[in-house]
Amino acid sequence: MSARHMLTIGAAIAAFLGGLAAAPTSADSNASASSATILASHDAYADLYESSEWVARVHFDAAGDHFILTKKSNRTYSGRAYMEWEYTTVAGNFRTGRRNGLSQVGIPVDFNHNFGEGRKVELRVCVEDAWFDPCSDWETGYA
């Protein structure tokens, strides 16, 4: 078989498979086309580590639109844990927030919010310290 013939067969297979990937599933068959994409709710976790020490965690529970903030260790940082969030409303307004947790280890604090369905929520966890507040990377959940 010639190289040209093999490339033609490969292109036909790729086109066929690409068509399959674009085919709607039965769950999508009643969906209308829209330029606005709403994503399914998705939990997120932001963890702060210092070397191998797990310092703090914030969990965004998408089903309840709430955050659970927990200080995990006092070995390196004894200050209070806090979390920050960012969110753009359905109307396009950018919102930020901060919620303070506790300096005691292992006591979760729950913060309830009401975000628009399918909206992206960015979050991170930090700990207050004398010189600077170490923070985790930003993580993304969907309400």
Side-chain angles (χ1 to χ4, degrees):
M1 185 179 295
S2 72
R4 181 181 173 119
H5 189 245
M6 288 174 46
L7 288 174
T8 303
I9 291 172
I13 290 171
F16 175 75
L17 292 176
L20 287 179
T25 63
S26 60
D28 295 332
S29 61
N30 294 329
S32 62
S34 172
S35 61
T37 302
I38 296 180
L39 299 173
S41 62
H42 175 70
D43 287 7
Y45 295 87
D47 292 316
L48 175 61
Y49 286 93
E50 182 66 37
S51 299
S52 62
E53 177 190 5
W54 188 12
V55 178
R57 165 178 271 186
V58 61
H59 169 210
F60 173 65
D61 180 6
D65 277 1
H66 65 112
F67 300 98
I68 303 164
L69 174 60
T70 309
K71 179 87 180 277
K72 296 291 188 176
S73 174
N74 273 337
R75 189 175 66 207
T76 302
Y77 302 110
S78 60
R80 173 174 55 182
Y82 65 93
M83 54 90 45
E84 297 176 328
W85 57 268
E86 297 179 349
Y87 163 77
T88 302
T89 67
V90 175
N93 300 314
F94 184 71
R95 302 278 188 249
T96 63
R98 174 182 163 153
R99 298 291 186 186
N100 294 319
L102 304 172
S103 59
Q104 292 84 6
V105 173
I107 302 172
V109 180
D110 192 306
F111 303 104
N112 195 17
H113 289 269
N114 188 17
F115 297 110
E117 295 302 311
R119 305 304 294 180
K120 181 169 89 169
V121 179
E122 300 280 341
L123 60 137
R124 72 178 182 173
V125 64
C126 305
V127 175
E128 292 177 342
D129 191 50
W131 301 104
F132 72 99
D133 292 357
C135 295
S136 70
D137 291 334
W138 287 94
E139 301 296 336
T140 303
Y142 291 89

